[in-house]
Amino acid sequence: MPTPKKGPRLGSGPAHQRLMLNGLAAQLFVHEGINTTEAKAKAVRPVAEKLITFAKRGDVAARREVLKQITDRDIVHKLFSEIGPRFAERPGGYTRILKIGQRPGDGAPMARIELVEAAE
């Protein structure tokens, strides 16, 4: 995901954006689906896909790379023991974004990002 050179980054700065996206990805792995704004859903998708690709590798180096972004070891364990093996045969496209309307308070477009189950 190319990072913008200037301007707003879904928060106050690039470090805040990175922390926010890592937190959203972690909650996506815990709940296997979260509701958020469309902009955040589109921004968190490549982060989550990259982390799932690391989990598919399953080696120690991949686990360390994931631990740099998600520090909760329980979430990383779930990612490597449950989610990674579930997508082992899938070449990519682990998440789906569904538009769910507007937020009642300010009318922001909302979306649900969730993990895609295996196609039968």
Side-chain angles (χ1 to χ4, degrees):
M1 176 172 113
T3 56
K5 300 294 183 212
K6 57 185 174 181
R9 294 182 171 95
L10 297 175
S12 60
H16 181 260
Q17 180 186 13
R18 186 175 59 251
L19 288 171
M20 181 189 56
L21 294 179
N22 291 342
L24 285 171
Q27 291 305 305
L28 175 64
F29 299 142
V30 169
H31 303 291
E32 299 195 7
I34 55 173
N35 294 338
T36 184
T37 62
E38 278 185 39
K40 288 180 184 176
K42 288 178 183 179
V44 78
R45 175 183 248 172
V47 174
E49 302 252 344
K50 183 176 126 185
L51 294 173
I52 293 172
T53 303
F54 276 128
K56 282 175 45 178
R57 279 186 19 206
D59 58 354
V60 175
R63 187 176 292 263
R64 287 179 180 158
E65 287 295 321
V66 172
L67 279 168
K68 286 181 187 176
Q69 295 183 10
I70 299 176
T71 56
D72 188 344
R73 293 183 181 273
D74 294 332
I75 297 172
V76 173
H77 177 71
K78 179 178 180 179
L79 180 62
F80 276 79
S81 64
E82 297 175 20
I83 297 172
R86 196 165 76 196
F87 293 113
E89 300 298 320
R90 195 178 187 102
Y94 316 116
T95 59
R96 154 182 39 220
I97 297 177
L98 303 169
K99 296 181 181 179
I100 58 172
Q102 295 183 337
R103 187 164 48 197
D106 59 357
M110 297 294 289
R112 176 169 179 81
I113 182 168
E114 58 189 17
L115 299 177
V116 176
E117 294 302 319
E120 300 287 332

